[in-house]
């Protein structure tokens, strides 16, 4: 086994000094000078309505107001995968909170005051919130022009309905598969909406200088994609990628919510209306709930057939996703999730349908897990239920069906190398799954549960990542990338990769935050693909620089390039043990020859990569053919929990997770990410409970009423486990894992709750209230779903 | 509204500024005084990202009017970092206690107050003390470890 110097080591984060001193600048910390203006957005109070008229005259009269704009000023559409959204509403609003107009003023208080004076006349239209209602024949149609919307080739919108995209997966013969089964379990699961709750709310500042150049500072996961989408939308005003620049400083959390484009385009558009002034748009916490992506609500009808020996013979499912009124990003969640909605199992006969449905809730889209948290809740609840029905251990049942390298995926391509079975075993062992434990407190019961997971990066097949690397006089290095440090510790890992190849310690490497003018292209920091893909780009850049270093030494000193190697910031030679040349002596200034001339160049390297084996072209009726996913990362999670039988309150005693990361490049940051993601999983399972009224209004858009975990809500013990089955095309064998850690937690908890008290909760979240009421009324199954109470029909 | 002149000690320096009676301390610190470590996370006292010390006691600067600090002393994370890092800050680095780092300024101020009042807290006391400071990234474990470890150095 090769020994690495920096790879696989718990290197400290390179951004930590900034963050521990308060020096780290986030967008709102930047001083934009006295010319800065502030925008207040006028938002729709209706979930679905026609805009009859907008009167801005009173608002314009308020002293300090610079300009008031409406949709008429920006009749431009945008969208990442489908263009179905306007910057400001045109003649119709489709959710509460939709942007109708904006007041730009010299200070926030004035903007807010004036925004109240904008008079908008609406004609309310019937709205629809339940995805099952929305696909009925007589449902109000939210986008009558759906059929004409431009979209990527792997979307299948159904014009004239509310179905924005319908992904179908067919393999084998499900009827035959169910006929062969000895046991069939069929049920419905329901998952509500969730909010990302980054501690930093969305913020963007736009600025058009007198030269006509647009600069955007944003809290973003996607500087290049935002620049491109904003350029596309604002083309009629003369903007191109060339004269738009996006700068992204530190970001206070993303989790998918700051991917694609949401409010950034508003700041960009407003800046075009007040040349020479930077304009700031910052969401208040309640706006953050409405006006960024949420996680989609989904209703799953699932049917699985098995033989007595535990082999799954057939799986059929339909997922009804509520994506809100704009699916320009969210439909891709549905697409990605449906292709993998079997879970990590080898199943011969499959029929799966994923329907992405327009509703009048706020727009939903990417959130840590990208649909997998949702599909895996139903699958992994089902797996344990079937195992128990067969009298089998949930561990054994998963191992029998668990997918292995080379097994065919639902869409036909073969599964990649993976350590799924090892992960399942390690987690089951860590929590002693098969050993029943009794609580010392007779009022409490202890339960155990596990769940497997998998997830592939969901990306278009032609995603590119690139990196620049340059040496400085002292032999230190700057790396320029446009992957975002949103908290995951990516820059530290990029430094480690370059450090390993160039033998320069990570503390002498800076990785720079993106500026689209200077840093090379990176699609978006999403899909947990940065370690894998950007890591490869950084590796290539480092190898490129190394090649140039050896070339200079060869030209100056005649050593064969093949004999040279790097160690301890020096060039050394295998054939001349006495030779060593410190990098700092020549990487900028070159090497002097006897005649006083120099050989050399300032050493720079570049690296870029595109996945050339992926393809999204599949048969629309079956999804067979193509290679939509580059690979999967697999794992498993397990919990031991204790339930108070009177209050229903759940306390997690132990949480174990094993993830096959290919190679743990930095075990310390991985551990932090695993624990953080697991707690986010616990949050969705036990605490977060979004309530929306029958008009589509969120009743708890704040942290008083929408509970995310505090330090008092975490498990007593965490057991993070990393399995390392190398990814053949990963940097040092690594693959990504950021989102994955959230996925198994909710189903593992549901399974443990049933194990403890015999109550199967099929509608998330698994609140204390649901458990306590079930126990009180002797109910074995809980379907209660509280999110949007529908109006009581007149009898 | 009539402006008010207030004088207070900010990170060890005497400052005199004009504010409106309804100006919030958090925004005054950030926009008038360039003190940006305290962050806006919710604006209503729920998240703790805006925590500063008022005469040594942790408060939420989004819930305090600027006029209220007249004659008092305010310390923010910038004030802790002036000369060299405190053992607590060192410990946060050692334990990788941040991911996005947005909660850090408030978290460190709350922990600073805790260790001052109670230099050797138990794990439960640490959890209790920081339970008003939300962190969405770390799952709190590394933060709790950092505080406990730092307490050994006091
Ligand atoms: S911003 Fe003050 S507590 Fe959240
Ligand atoms: S590190 Fe991101 S909120 Fe705490």
């Amino acid at each position: 086994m090769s020994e690495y110097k920096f790879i696989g080591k718990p290197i400290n984060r390179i951004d930590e000094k900034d963050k521990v001193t308060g020096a780290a600048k986030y967008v709102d910390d930047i001083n934009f000078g006295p010319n800065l203006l502030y925008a207040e957005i006028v938002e729709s109070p209706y979930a679905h309505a026609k805009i009859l008229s907008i009167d801005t005259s009173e608002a314009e009269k308020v002293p300090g107001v610079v300009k008031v704009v409406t949709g008429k000023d920006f009749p431009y559409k945008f969208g990442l995968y489908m263009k179905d959204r306007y910057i400001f509403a045109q003649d119709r609003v489709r959710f509460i909170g939709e942007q109708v107009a904006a007041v730009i003023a010299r200070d926030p208080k004035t903007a807010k005051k004036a925004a109240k004076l904008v008079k908008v006349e609406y004609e309310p239209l019937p709205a629809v919130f339940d995805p099952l209602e929305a696909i009925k024949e007589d449902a109000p149609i939210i986008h009558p022009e759906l059929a004409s919307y431009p979209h990527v080739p792997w979307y299948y919108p159904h014009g004239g309905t509310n179905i924005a995209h319908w992904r179908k997966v067919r393999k084998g013969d499900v009827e035959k598969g169910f006929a062969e089964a000895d046991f069939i379990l069929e049920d419905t699961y329901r998952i509500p909406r969730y909010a990302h709750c980054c501690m930093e709310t969305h913020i963007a500042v736009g600025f058009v200088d007198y030269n006509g150049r647009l600069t955007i500072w944003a809290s973003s996961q996607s500087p290049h994609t935002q620049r491109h989408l904003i350029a596309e939308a604002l083309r009629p005003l003369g903007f191109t990628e060339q004269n738009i620049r996006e700068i992204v400083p530190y970001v206070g959390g993303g989790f998918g919510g700051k991917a694609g484009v949401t409010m950034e385009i508003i700041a960009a558009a407003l800046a075009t209306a007040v040349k020479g002034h930077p304009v700031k748009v910052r969401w208040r916490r309640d706006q953050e709930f409405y006006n960024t992506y949420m996680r989609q609500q989904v209703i799953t009808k699932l049917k699985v057939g098995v033989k007595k020996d535990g082999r799954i013979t057939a799986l059929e499912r339909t997922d009804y996703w509520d994506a809100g009124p704009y699916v320009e990003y969210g439909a891709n969640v549905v697409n990605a999730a449906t292709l993998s909605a079997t879970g990590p199992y080898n199943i011969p006969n499959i029929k799966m349908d994923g329907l992405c449905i327009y509703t009048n809730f706020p727009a939903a889209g990417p959130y840590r897990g990208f649909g997998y948290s949702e599909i895996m809740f139903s699958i992994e609840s089902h797996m344990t239920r079937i195992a128990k029905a067969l009298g089998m251990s949930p561990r054994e049942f998963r191992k029998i069906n668990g997918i292995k390298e080379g097994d065919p995926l639902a869409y036909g391509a073969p599964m990649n190398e993976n350590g799924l079975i090892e992960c399942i075993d390690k987690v089951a062992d860590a929590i002693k799954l098969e050993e029943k434990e009794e609580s010392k407190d007779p009022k409490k019961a202890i339960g155990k549960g596990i769940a497997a997971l998998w997830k592939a990066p969901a990306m278009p097949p032609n995603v590119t990542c690139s990196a620049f690397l340059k040496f400085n006089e002292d032999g230190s290095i700057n790396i320029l990338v446009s992957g975002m440090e949103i908290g995951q510790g990516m820059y530290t890992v990029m430094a480690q990769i370059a450090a390993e190849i160039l033998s320069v310690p990570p503390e002498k490497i800076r990785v720079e935050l993106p500026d689209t003018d200077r840093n090379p292209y990176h699609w978006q920091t999403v899909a947990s693909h940065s370690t894998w893909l950007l890591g490869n780009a950084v590796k290539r850049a480092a190898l490129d620089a190394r090649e140039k270093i050896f070339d200079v030494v060869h030209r100056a000193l005649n050593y064969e390039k093949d004999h040279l190697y790097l160690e301890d910031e020096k060039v050394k030679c295998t054939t001349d043990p006495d030779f060593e040349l410190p990098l700092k002596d020549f990487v900028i200034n070159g090497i002097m020859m006897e005649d006083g001339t120099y050989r050399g160049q300032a050493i720079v390297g570049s690296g870029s990569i595109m996945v050339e084996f992926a393809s999204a072209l599949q048969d629309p009726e079956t999804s067979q053919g193509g290679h939509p996913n580059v690979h999967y990362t697999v794992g498993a999670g397990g919990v031991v929990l204790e339930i108070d039988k009177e209050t229903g309150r759940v306390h997690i005693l132990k949480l174990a997770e094993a993830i096959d990361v290919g190679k743990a490049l930095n075990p310390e940051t991985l551990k932090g990410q695993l624990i953080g993601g697991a707690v986010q999983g616990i949050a969705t399972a036990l605490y977060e409970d979004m309530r929306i009224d029958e008009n589509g209004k969120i009743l708890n858009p704040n942290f008083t009423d929408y509970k995310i975990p505090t330090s008092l809500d975490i498990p007593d013990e965490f057991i993070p486990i990393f399995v390392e089955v190398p990814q053949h095309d990963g940097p040092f064998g690594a693959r990504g894992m950021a989102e994955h850690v959230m996925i198994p937690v909710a189903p593992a908890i549901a399974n443990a709750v049933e194990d403890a008290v015999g109550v199967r909760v099929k509608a998330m979240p698994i609140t204390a209230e649901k458990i306590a009421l079930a126990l009180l009324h002797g109910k074995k199954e809980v379907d209660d779903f509280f999110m949007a109470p529908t109006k009581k029909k007149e009898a | 509204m009539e402006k008010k002149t207030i004088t207070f000690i900010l990170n060890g320096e005497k400052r005199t500024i004009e504010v409106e009676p309804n100006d919030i301390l958090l925004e005054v610190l950030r926009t008038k005084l360039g003190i940006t470590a305290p962050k806006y996370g919710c604006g209503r006292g729920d998240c703790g990202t805006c925590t500063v010390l008022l005469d040594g006691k942790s408060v939420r600067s989004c819930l305090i009017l600027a006029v209220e600090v007249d004659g008092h002393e305010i310390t923010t994370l910038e004030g802790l970092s002036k000369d060299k890092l405190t053992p607590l800050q060192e410990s946060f680095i050692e334990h990788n206690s941040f991911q996005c780092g947005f909660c850090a300024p408030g978290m460190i101020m709350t922990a600073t107050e805790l260790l001052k009042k109670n230099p050797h807290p138990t794990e439960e006391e640490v959890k209790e003390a920081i339970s008003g400071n939300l962190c969405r990234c770390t799952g709190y474990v590394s933060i709790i470890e950092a505080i406990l470890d730092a307490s050994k150095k006091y």
Side-chain angles (χ1 to χ4, degrees), chain A residues 313-341:
Chain A
T313 58
L315 176 146
E316 183 175 347
R317 70 183 293 159
T318 308
D319 292 271
Y320 302 89
W321 299 79
D322 142 37
Y326 302 108
V327 306
E328 44 94 17
Y329 202 141
N332 217 43
V333 176
V334 175
N335 194 68
T338 309
L339 287 169
S340 303

Side-chain angles (χ1 to χ4, degrees), chain A residues 296-315:
Chain A
Q296 302 179 31
Q297 169 187 190
V298 58
I299 298 154
T300 300
K301 300 203 161 143
L302 177 62
K303 181 176 171 188
V304 173
V306 291
K307 293 286 247 189
K308 273 199 217 83
D309 65 3
R311 280 237 64 108
I312 300 173
T313 58
L315 176 146

Side-chain angles (χ1 to χ4, degrees), chain A residues 19 26 29 109 704 709 711, chain B residues 23 30 39 44 46 100 140:
Chain A
K19 289 177 175 173
Y26 301 79
D29 303 338
K109 284 182 196 160
T704 318
S711 48
Chain B
D23 278 347
R30 293 180 55 80
K39 308 274 184 246
R44 46 180 272 165
D46 290 332
C100 81
Y140 303 103

